[in-house]
Amino acid sequence: MPKIVDHDARREAIAECAVRAVAEYGLDRVKLEHVAEIAGCTTGSLMHFFPNKRAILEAALQHVATRLAERYGAARDAADLVDALASVLPLDATRQREWRVWVSYFGIAGFQTRLREAHHDFYEQNRAWVLDILEDAVERGELRPDLPLQDVADQIVGLTDGIGVRATMDPDAWGASQQRALMASFVGLLRA
Amino acid sequence: MPKIVDHDARREAIAECAVRAVAEYGLDRVKLEHVAEIAGCTTGSLMHFFPNKRAILEAALQHVATRLAERYGAARDAADLVDALASVLPLDATRQREWRVWVSYFGIAGFQTRLREAHHDFYEQNRAWVLDILEDAVERGELRPDLPLQDVADQIVGLTDGIGVRATMDPDAWGASQQRALMASFVGLLRA
Amino acid sequence: MPKIVDHDARREAIAECAVRAVAEYGLDRVKLEHVAEIAGCTTGSLMHFFPNKRAILEAALQHVATRLAERYGAARDAADLVDALASVLPLDATRQREWRVWVSYFGIAGFQTRLREAHHDFYEQNRAWVLDILEDAVERGELRPDLPLQDVADQIVGLTDGIGVRATMDPDAWGASQQRALMASFVGLLRA
Amino acid sequence: MPKIVDHDARREAIAECAVRAVAEYGLDRVKLEHVAEIAGCTTGSLMHFFPNKRAILEAALQHVATRLAERYGAARDAADLVDALASVLPLDATRQREWRVWVSYFGIAGFQTRLREAHHDFYEQNRAWVLDILEDAVERGELRPDLPLQDVADQIVGLTDGIGVRATMDPDAWGASQQRALMASFVGLLRA
DNA sequence: TATGAATGAGCATTCATTCAT
DNA sequence: AATGAATGAATGCTCATTCAT
């Protein structure tokens, strides 16, 4: 089914263009035309791959969620705990762009069932990954053995969003090193 | 003599109606008509008090920021540290509504200078209040004396946003007690 | 009936304010608010003296027509023929303002019966005055005796509008002296 | 393949529809909808070719100016001087329509830089053409050799506007023959 | 499939007019 | 008579969606 692969690849490419468009214009300002321009095609052309605008923007969110999940996945193998946890933060331009989109959806996810579910699933997974990383770290003796790991995992997920939000809104004041430092400081609390 | 209205009071009342409207319809879906309907007037009437829609939505954000700040202010006098820190979380319907608006602006604050500045100022103040509360707690011996308070303040601000975001997006899974518990657990890490 | 005199005086004063407002903002841009501001009252107040906006703007036109007619009337006694004919041109700020209004109505007079009639009457009178002035001049031997005075009167009325239009649209290029010179040159053609 | 349209041709066609609309409804009453209806399309469709209403109305004026200029251009070759000079007057329905638009802009040209410049340029050209025609006529011995041609050219331009204004406002009283007769009478003054 | 002109519902905004005070 | 807040119809403009080519 080569056609389908192409089709899916095109959808994915369009989704990434939508990410760029949302990051540049904002979720409430972005036009289909922006997405089309970045994709190098016309708006009518987009409609061959998505039924409507909402679907394109949903795909953009899904794209970002997938990328974040990939980073979490890769993080499991990181040697350093702080590096692992910081790997999803908006440390560079690509991740900043992704966070801009991610953060945009906070405001509307509560209104759309599909998005709410996507978010829910994503955080479930997230939390599981973080928990996994933490358990490894405890086993390695890197963290105190008496930690309430379930809670700590939630705290890290929350702190990650918190740092991401502020770094996205105020990137000048929240450089990569500062984000890392704050995460490191938190991890410090968890050590012996 | 014609009816004389207190412009500032009216602006404030409209801002609160805008908060309700944004919380109900979402920042990108809300119409001026919604605000007018909640305010019990016509859209044209809104224009006597605000130059345009954007200004109304900005006022809505400012209204929420002020409310959040008031809670922080009141929190300083709370007997319990966890109570104080949790007082701004979306624990009840009113605060949930406010958080819905607050969270909505995360996505667009990065695109509008005025909002970015408002956010920046807000977080500055926030952090100062948290720091203040923490210092009091250390003095009272409630917290370990060796904490990096600057960092901890940022962590609490971040964690607050993180919890708020998730509770806003997934209110069923994040009840008041769960929010409090997570904050309490974090404070636990800071104790002796 | 002192009340009525006051009332009429007020109407006249408002009409003049409307002239200023139209001259400043243009016939299509002017708001009742502008007129009210210049008159130092509120828009609601204007409605005690005129039934609606159109009536106010009509009064403004009538005001200008009256002023122009007054100048023509005064011109009959002018010693110099050119001075007489030039006296209605937009030579100074006041007359420029009047011409701005006058010229504005060219575009809409064709659409409104009342204005069309007002214009018609005005030009009738105008032409009669000019003819009168010309006949005096012929009698005094100032002009050639063989002129087709009826036509010349129409030409002068037309030329007056023509000069007025250009001086109104391009006041920098059409100073008082240039307007007068062109009229003088035309009169020159009528002399021996 | 999609329908390909010649943008410039379409703009020109829309401009002409705008001329008709302005002539029918007046510059201050005309709606985009009127233009669209005459053009046989929707208002949204107009926006593919013009950024906003003002631009459409400006194009309408430019369209009229071009037409008037064309007539002046053609007039240079006219055998009869009076025919040449009268050729731009509102002698028939088409030219009446154009004059209605032309005259409408007298009132607003003073307020908009673009229009002022367009008018200025137009009159410059106009005057040059008239001067040219006059010089030819003098050479042919049709006119007195001692005329101040510069002034006469301005007088003809002014008289043309004057006649056009009156014929536009009061078409019943100013038929084609009367317009021509007045111009002819003026030319009579210029002959030996 | 791709194109892009056309559509048309939707919305913010303006402003003359009304009316309770 | 005056005020000025409120009204609400009017309208320019946007932009997702459609569809003929």
Side-chain angles (χ1 to χ4, degrees):
Chain A
M1 300 183 290
K3 275 288 182 189
I4 294 208
V5 169
D6 272 353
H7 205 263
D8 283 353
R10 204 88 165 69
R11 281 173 60 90
E12 203 55 32
I14 290 171
E16 202 195 318
C17 294
V19 170
R20 288 173 184 273
V22 170
E24 183 167 354
Y25 297 99
L27 187 58
D28 57 334
R29 296 277 158 76
V30 73
K31 302 178 194 176
L32 236 27
E33 221 176 317
H34 298 145
V35 180
E37 192 189 354
I38 293 172
C41 66
T42 61
T43 62
S45 186
L46 298 177
M47 293 335 209
H48 288 293
F49 303 96
F50 293 94
N52 52 36
K53 184 186 184 183
R54 167 175 291 199
I56 291 177
L57 295 182
E58 272 177 26
L61 177 65
Q62 200 54 250
H63 183 83
V64 167
T66 303
R67 289 301 192 84
L68 283 172
E70 284 170 8
R71 293 193 214 292
Y72 265 117
R76 284 189 52 185
D77 305 324
D80 185 57
L81 180 58
V82 174
D83 276 344
L85 296 177
S87 65
V88 294
L89 291 173
L91 302 176
D92 56 23
T94 302
R95 279 173 279 190
Q96 273 174 20
R97 204 159 49 223
E98 288 168 8
W99 269 93
R100 265 193 124 139
V101 176
W102 187 245
V103 149
S104 292
Y105 281 96
F106 288 169
I108 67 169
F111 298 91
Q112 296 180 224
T113 310
R114 290 180 70 106
L115 293 185
R116 182 157 42 211
E117 286 168 0
H119 264 278
H120 189 83
D121 293 351
F122 174 80
Y123 279 104
E124 286 286 304
Q125 252 191 329
N126 244 7
R127 191 177 171 286
W129 277 314
V130 171
L131 197 54
D132 210 32
I133 294 169
L134 289 175
E135 283 167 351
D136 281 0
V138 170
E139 259 178 51
R140 286 202 306 272
E142 209 179 327
L143 298 183
R144 284 157 47 187
D146 63 330
L147 290 170
L149 287 191
Q150 301 286 341
D151 284 356
V152 172
D154 273 325
Q155 285 155 16
I156 286 177
V157 170
L159 184 57
T160 301
D161 273 350
I163 295 173
V165 163
R166 298 194 61 189
T168 298
M169 288 193 297
D170 199 355
D172 295 334
W174 282 84
S177 61
Q178 187 159 354
Q179 298 176 47
R180 267 190 60 93
L182 194 58
M183 186 59 84
S185 166
F186 179 76
V187 171
L189 294 173
L190 308 176
R191 295 190 204 276
Chain B
M1 284 227 326
K3 180 158 53 170
I4 297 293
V5 302
D6 180 337
H7 261 247
D8 285 345
R10 203 85 170 72
R11 283 173 59 91
E12 203 54 34
I14 290 171
E16 202 193 318
C17 295
V19 169
R20 288 174 184 273
V22 170
E24 184 169 352
Y25 297 98
L27 187 58
D28 57 335
R29 294 276 158 77
V30 73
K31 303 178 198 177
L32 235 27
E33 226 174 316
H34 297 145
V35 180
E37 192 189 354
I38 294 172
C41 67
T42 60
T43 61
S45 189
L46 298 177
M47 293 338 209
H48 286 293
F49 304 97
F50 292 94
N52 51 38
K53 184 185 183 183
R54 166 175 291 200
I56 291 178
L57 295 181
E58 270 178 26
L61 176 65
Q62 200 54 252
H63 183 82
V64 167
T66 303
R67 289 302 190 85
L68 284 173
E70 283 169 8
R71 292 194 215 292
Y72 265 115
R76 286 190 49 185
D77 304 323
D80 184 59
L81 180 58
V82 174
D83 275 344
L85 297 177
S87 65
V88 294
L89 291 173
L91 302 176
D92 55 23
T94 301
R95 279 174 279 191
Q96 273 173 21
R97 203 160 50 223
E98 289 167 6
W99 269 92
R100 264 195 126 141
V101 176
W102 188 244
V103 148
S104 292
Y105 282 94
F106 288 169
I108 66 169
F111 297 92
Q112 297 179 222
T113 309
R114 288 181 72 106
L115 294 185
R116 180 156 42 208
E117 285 168 1
H119 263 277
H120 188 84
D121 293 349
F122 175 79
Y123 279 105
E124 287 284 303
Q125 253 191 328
N126 245 8
R127 191 176 171 287
W129 276 314
V130 171
L131 196 54
D132 210 33
I133 293 170
L134 290 175
E135 282 166 353
D136 280 0
V138 171
E139 260 178 51
R140 286 201 308 272
E142 209 179 327
L143 297 182
R144 283 156 47 188
D146 64 330
L147 289 170
L149 287 191
Q150 302 284 343
D151 285 355
V152 173
D154 275 325
Q155 285 156 16
I156 286 177
V157 170
L159 183 57
T160 301
D161 273 349
I163 295 173
V165 163
R166 297 197 60 188
T168 298
M169 288 192 299
D170 199 355
D172 296 335
W174 282 84
S177 61
Q178 186 159 354
Q179 296 176 48
R180 267 191 59 93
L182 193 58
M183 186 60 83
S185 166
F186 178 76
V187 170
L189 294 173
L190 309 176
R191 292 192 206 277
Chain C
M1 301 181 293
K3 275 289 183 189
I4 294 205
V5 170
D6 273 352
H7 205 263
D8 283 353
R10 203 89 165 69
R11 282 173 58 92
E12 202 56 32
I14 290 171
E16 201 194 318
C17 294
V19 169
R20 288 172 185 274
V22 171
E24 183 168 353
Y25 297 99
L27 187 58
D28 57 334
R29 295 277 159 76
V30 73
K31 301 179 196 178
L32 235 27
E33 222 175 317
H34 297 145
V35 180
E37 192 190 353
I38 293 173
C41 67
T42 61
T43 62
S45 186
L46 298 176
M47 295 333 211
H48 288 293
F49 303 97
F50 292 94
N52 52 36
K53 184 186 184 183
R54 168 176 290 201
I56 291 178
L57 295 182
E58 271 177 27
L61 176 66
Q62 200 53 251
H63 183 84
V64 168
T66 304
R67 288 302 191 83
L68 284 172
E70 284 170 9
R71 293 193 214 292
Y72 265 117
R76 284 189 52 186
D77 305 324
D80 185 59
L81 179 58
V82 173
D83 275 344
L85 296 177
S87 65
V88 294
L89 291 173
L91 302 176
D92 56 23
T94 301
R95 279 173 279 191
Q96 274 173 19
R97 203 159 51 223
E98 290 168 6
W99 269 93
R100 265 195 124 139
V101 176
W102 187 245
V103 149
S104 291
Y105 281 95
F106 288 169
I108 66 169
F111 298 92
Q112 296 180 224
T113 309
R114 289 179 69 105
L115 293 186
R116 181 156 42 209
E117 286 168 0
H119 263 278
H120 189 84
D121 293 351
F122 174 81
Y123 280 104
E124 286 286 303
Q125 252 191 331
N126 242 9
R127 191 176 171 287
W129 275 315
V130 172
L131 197 54
D132 210 32
I133 293 170
L134 290 174
E135 283 166 351
D136 281 0
V138 171
E139 260 178 50
R140 286 202 307 272
E142 211 179 323
L143 298 183
R144 282 156 49 186
D146 63 332
L147 289 171
L149 285 191
Q150 301 285 343
D151 284 355
V152 172
D154 274 325
Q155 285 155 15
I156 285 176
V157 170
L159 183 58
T160 301
D161 273 349
I163 295 173
V165 163
R166 297 196 62 189
T168 298
M169 288 192 298
D170 198 356
D172 296 333
W174 283 83
S177 61
Q178 187 160 354
Q179 297 175 47
R180 266 190 61 93
L182 193 58
M183 186 60 83
S185 166
F186 178 76
V187 171
L189 294 172
L190 308 176
R191 294 191 204 276
Chain D
M1 285 229 321
K3 179 157 54 171
I4 298 293
V5 303
D6 180 337
H7 260 247
D8 285 345
R10 204 85 170 73
R11 281 174 60 91
E12 204 55 33
I14 291 170
E16 202 193 318
C17 295
V19 170
R20 287 172 185 274
V22 171
E24 184 167 353
Y25 297 98
L27 188 57
D28 56 335
R29 294 277 158 76
V30 73
K31 303 179 199 175
L32 236 25
E33 225 176 316
H34 298 144
V35 180
E37 192 189 353
I38 293 173
C41 67
T42 60
T43 63
S45 189
L46 297 177
M47 292 341 209
H48 287 293
F49 303 97
F50 292 94
N52 53 38
K53 184 186 182 183
R54 166 175 291 202
I56 291 179
L57 295 182
E58 271 178 27
L61 175 65
Q62 200 54 251
H63 183 82
V64 168
T66 303
R67 287 305 188 85
L68 283 172
E70 284 169 8
R71 292 193 216 293
Y72 265 116
R76 285 190 52 185
D77 305 325
D80 184 60
L81 180 59
V82 174
D83 276 343
L85 296 178
S87 64
V88 294
L89 291 172
L91 303 176
D92 55 24
T94 301
R95 277 173 280 191
Q96 272 174 22
R97 204 159 50 224
E98 289 168 6
W99 269 92
R100 262 194 128 140
V101 176
W102 188 244
V103 148
S104 291
Y105 282 95
F106 287 169
I108 66 169
F111 298 91
Q112 297 179 224
T113 308
R114 288 180 71 107
L115 293 185
R116 180 156 42 210
E117 285 168 1
H119 263 278
H120 188 85
D121 293 350
F122 174 80
Y123 280 105
E124 286 285 303
Q125 254 192 328
N126 245 7
R127 190 177 173 287
W129 276 314
V130 171
L131 197 54
D132 210 32
I133 294 170
L134 290 174
E135 282 166 352
D136 281 359
V138 170
E139 260 179 50
R140 285 201 308 270
E142 210 179 326
L143 298 182
R144 284 158 46 189
D146 63 331
L147 289 171
L149 287 191
Q150 302 285 342
D151 284 355
V152 173
D154 273 326
Q155 285 155 16
I156 286 176
V157 170
L159 183 58
T160 301
D161 272 349
I163 295 174
V165 163
R166 297 197 60 190
T168 298
M169 288 191 298
D170 198 356
D172 296 334
W174 283 83
S177 61
Q178 188 160 353
Q179 297 175 48
R180 266 191 61 93
L182 193 58
M183 186 60 83
S185 167
F186 178 76
V187 171
L189 294 173
L190 308 177
R191 294 191 205 276

